[in-house]
Amino acid sequence: MTDPSPKPTRAQQRRRTEENILAAARRMFADLGYDRTTIRAVAKEAGVDPGLVMHYFGSKDELFARAASLPTDELPAGSAEQLAEALLASLAGRLDSEPVGSLAVLRSMLTNADAAERYRAAGEPQLSKISAAIPAADADLRAGLLSAIVHGVIIERYLLRLGRLADASPEQIIDLLRPCFQLLATAPPPDPHRPG
């Protein structure tokens, strides 16, 4: 009896090998950071020769750039309330399944200047979009706070694994954060002349 499934083409085999290497690299950069991850260790994790990793990616920097490439969240062009909900939905997705690409960047940027710069460059356009949607004089500060909350929650849940945040359901976390996100995205700035 012959096997009805067709044999993968060379191009399909190359793509599969490249995807396996990238998946192994994401896990290792997330677990160990940039400095402690080696090409040899990534190759071993992916089950390939180190020369093949270099063939596909050329250098550790290029491997990191590809492994840590993060899709940007699509933000709605609507109201500030919709922006807050979109940010919460994005965070919920990252809380539902471990975001190894994000973790690779977050862990590595703390010890590697290039990783930090790459992260800043990728994050600035997103931060500008968030800021533009917030109808407040201090929109840049509010956007930065929203971003910091998202990153802090991810770091606490997956890298530090401290307290209840590590095992709380995404729904619990999002429900608690919703008023804060809505307030930061929509409330007018405080009146400096009003007595405290």
Side-chain angles (χ1 to χ4, degrees):
M1 188 167 181
T2 59
D3 183 7
S5 59
K7 188 175 178 179
T9 66
R10 289 184 98 150
Q12 289 170 325
Q13 289 173 339
R14 280 193 299 270
R15 273 194 303 278
R16 189 174 305 137
T17 299
E18 188 175 350
E19 288 167 7
N20 287 343
I21 293 169
L22 280 172
R26 282 186 190 102
R27 286 190 301 273
M28 297 202 75
F29 285 126
D31 290 344
L32 302 174
Y34 180 88
D35 292 334
R36 292 177 42 211
T37 298
T38 65
I39 293 291
R40 190 172 300 282
V42 170
K44 184 177 179 184
E45 177 80 10
V48 299
D49 185 84
L52 197 55
V53 176
M54 295 303 287
H55 171 74
Y56 280 109
F57 300 98
S59 69
K60 180 177 168 180
D61 285 341
E62 184 57 31
L63 176 62
F64 178 76
R66 292 275 309 279
S69 164
L70 301 174
T72 56
D73 296 326
E74 288 298 317
L75 297 176
S79 68
E81 290 88 355
Q82 290 169 318
L83 166 75
E85 287 303 318
L87 291 171
L88 288 166
S90 173
L91 177 58
R94 292 178 188 154
L95 295 173
D96 195 34
S97 62
E98 189 169 358
V100 289
S102 296
L103 294 176
V105 174
L106 290 171
R107 184 179 296 274
S108 297
M109 71 181 214
L110 299 176
T111 59
N112 182 274
D114 289 339
E117 183 54 40
R118 188 175 288 121
Y119 187 76
R120 271 192 295 275
E124 283 175 5
Q126 184 79 347
L127 210 52
S128 293
K129 286 181 188 175
I130 295 169
S131 181
I134 298 174
D138 59 351
D140 291 342
L141 176 59
R142 290 169 183 261
L145 287 168
L146 287 165
S147 177
I149 292 168
V150 168
H151 295 115
V153 168
I154 291 170
I155 289 170
E156 182 82 18
R157 183 174 178 90
Y158 294 112
L159 298 182
L160 299 177
R161 300 182 198 279
L162 291 174
R164 186 74 179 88
L165 187 56
D167 60 6
S169 74
E171 294 78 18
Q172 287 176 292
I173 296 167
I174 297 304
D175 285 347
L176 287 170
L177 286 175
R178 181 167 280 112
C180 175
F181 273 51
Q182 288 291 342
L183 183 67
L184 284 170
T186 64
D191 181 357
H193 303 295
R194 191 175 68 191

